[in-house]
Amino acid sequence: MELTPDQLRRQADESKLGFASTADIAPDATRLGQHRAENALAFSMGMRFEGYNLYALGAPQIGMHEFVEARLRALAAEREAPDDWCYLNDLEDASTPRICRLPPGIGRRFKHDMAEYLSGVRSMLPAALASDEYRRSAEQLGQRLQQRQVTDTTELQQEAESLGLTMLPTPNGFAFAPVADGKVMEQAQFADLDEADRKKIGDAIEHMNTRLMERLREYPRIHEELVREQRELIRQTAARVLDSLAAKLRSRYQIYPDAIAHVVTVHASLLENTERIVMLERGDA
């Protein structure tokens, strides 16, 4: 018997569907033909012990990821929000992060606040070390060394004059020479002096050279002291900036010991590496 096309096509009675359009149908999280997966998922979500994990595998067309996520979201909505777990850099061991447990929502805020703090450090610290106030303080430290050099030169010149000598600058430093009639004595004049006068001048020059070396030996120590004072000025300036920026963090997270411990550690590390940070921001490194 020959069949017509209408007889070969299965037809549904639309009057029995119960809806006029699929837009009237509420979404269903179930997956047709995935009853075993649904049962396994329900069983695994009911496990309330540590050490268990859920792994779902299926063809992309099945939509297994969306199916599992929908079920987990529905389950999560029925329970209290879990704590936030933050992984923080361990500045002493970069290969092992430190764990910080915070109430729900606080972890995300802590991440944002730390990023804001570090951004402020990168901008405000170089600005503070380039300010007029810092520059004046640094110049005052440098002027102390210059003033010491001027004082030493003046005192040595006065002592040399009392011995009939003068102090002359040379490419290698300073030298002392005898004076006659207010002028440096010529070699011929010196040669015309008797032996006792030449010895007297020679002893005076040797004495002044010794006095000069005594002063010069103090300069490495003075320079080291100046460097220490300059670094201390940098540290104090940086400490004011860092303390100001960290005030918000200390106030906001003072009830969270792990968070505050991280803030303190980062603060100390930044203070210790202030000069390096400034060099990096300026592009000098």
Side-chain angles (χ1 to χ4, degrees):
M1 182 178 66
E2 185 177 351
L3 299 177
T4 64
D6 290 340
Q7 291 175 318
L8 295 174
R9 180 170 63 89
R10 174 177 253 178
Q11 298 184 20
D13 186 355
E14 296 180 0
S15 63
K16 296 181 180 180
L17 294 178
F19 56 87
S21 161
T22 54
D24 300 331
I25 304 176
D28 190 354
T30 61
R31 289 292 183 270
L32 296 177
Q34 300 295 325
H35 301 298
R36 291 182 59 192
E38 293 177 10
N39 292 335
L41 180 60
F43 176 77
S44 62
M45 290 192 305
M47 300 291 291
R48 302 299 299 272
F49 304 99
E50 294 183 359
Y52 290 89
N53 298 281
L54 170 62
Y55 178 78
L57 177 65
Q61 296 83 358
I62 297 177
M64 185 62 70
H65 181 275
E66 293 79 6
F67 171 58
V68 173
E69 183 179 4
R71 287 298 185 87
L72 291 177
R73 286 186 178 278
L75 178 64
E78 299 173 357
R79 298 180 179 178
E80 294 183 1
D83 288 340
D84 292 340
W85 292 86
C86 304
Y87 292 88
L88 308 175
N89 289 332
D90 189 332
L91 301 180
E92 296 181 357
D93 184 3
S95 63
T96 306
R98 296 173 58 248
I99 298 176
C100 175
R101 183 175 183 175
L102 296 171
I106 302 299
R108 183 183 297 273
R109 190 180 72 182
F110 184 53
K111 175 185 176 181
H112 173 270
D113 288 345
M114 284 300 302
E116 190 177 63
Y117 167 70
L118 295 175
S119 177
V121 171
R122 296 182 63 179
S123 61
M124 294 180 64
L125 187 53
L129 294 176
S131 66
D132 292 340
E133 179 183 359
Y134 172 80
R135 189 176 293 110
R136 285 193 298 270
S137 299
E139 288 175 353
Q140 289 175 358
L141 291 178
Q143 288 172 358
R144 286 172 50 189
L145 179 59
Q146 295 176 0
Q147 184 59 45
R148 174 62 184 267
Q149 292 173 335
V150 171
T151 300
D152 286 347
T153 301
T154 301
E155 291 178 355
L156 288 171
Q157 175 63 25
Q158 291 174 349
E159 187 174 354
E161 290 176 356
S162 69
L163 298 175
L165 306 175
T166 188
M167 186 174 177
L168 301 174
T170 70
N172 297 323
F174 292 96
F176 297 95
V179 175
D181 299 327
K183 297 180 180 180
V184 176
M185 186 179 295
E186 298 291 341
Q187 186 66 30
Q189 289 180 280
F190 181 77
D192 290 339
L193 297 175
D194 58 38
E195 184 178 353
D197 289 336
R198 290 198 301 269
K199 183 177 185 307
K200 181 179 179 181
I201 292 174
D203 291 343
I205 292 176
E206 183 178 354
H207 169 76
M208 290 308 304
N209 284 332
T210 300
R211 297 284 292 129
L212 175 61
M213 293 304 300
E214 289 174 352
R215 296 295 180 97
L216 292 178
R217 278 195 291 267
E218 296 181 7
Y219 277 75
R221 177 187 58 79
I222 296 173
H223 185 266
E224 290 179 2
E225 182 179 345
L226 174 61
V227 171
R228 285 196 298 270
E229 291 178 348
Q230 289 173 333
R231 288 180 174 172
E232 179 62 20
L233 176 62
I234 293 175
R235 194 198 69 80
Q236 292 177 357
T237 303
R240 287 195 296 269
V241 173
L242 296 177
D243 288 345
S244 175
L245 291 172
K248 175 182 176 181
L249 294 173
R250 295 178 185 276
S251 174
R252 178 169 286 186
Y253 299 98
Q254 59 181 337
I255 61 174
Y256 307 115
D258 290 342
I260 282 294
H262 184 64
V263 171
V264 171
T265 300
V266 171
H267 182 279
S269 178
L270 291 173
L271 193 57
E272 183 179 351
N273 294 280
T274 295
E275 295 181 63
R276 183 181 178 189
I277 294 170
V278 173
M279 291 177 61
L280 290 173
E281 292 305 312
R282 291 176 178 173
D284 298 336

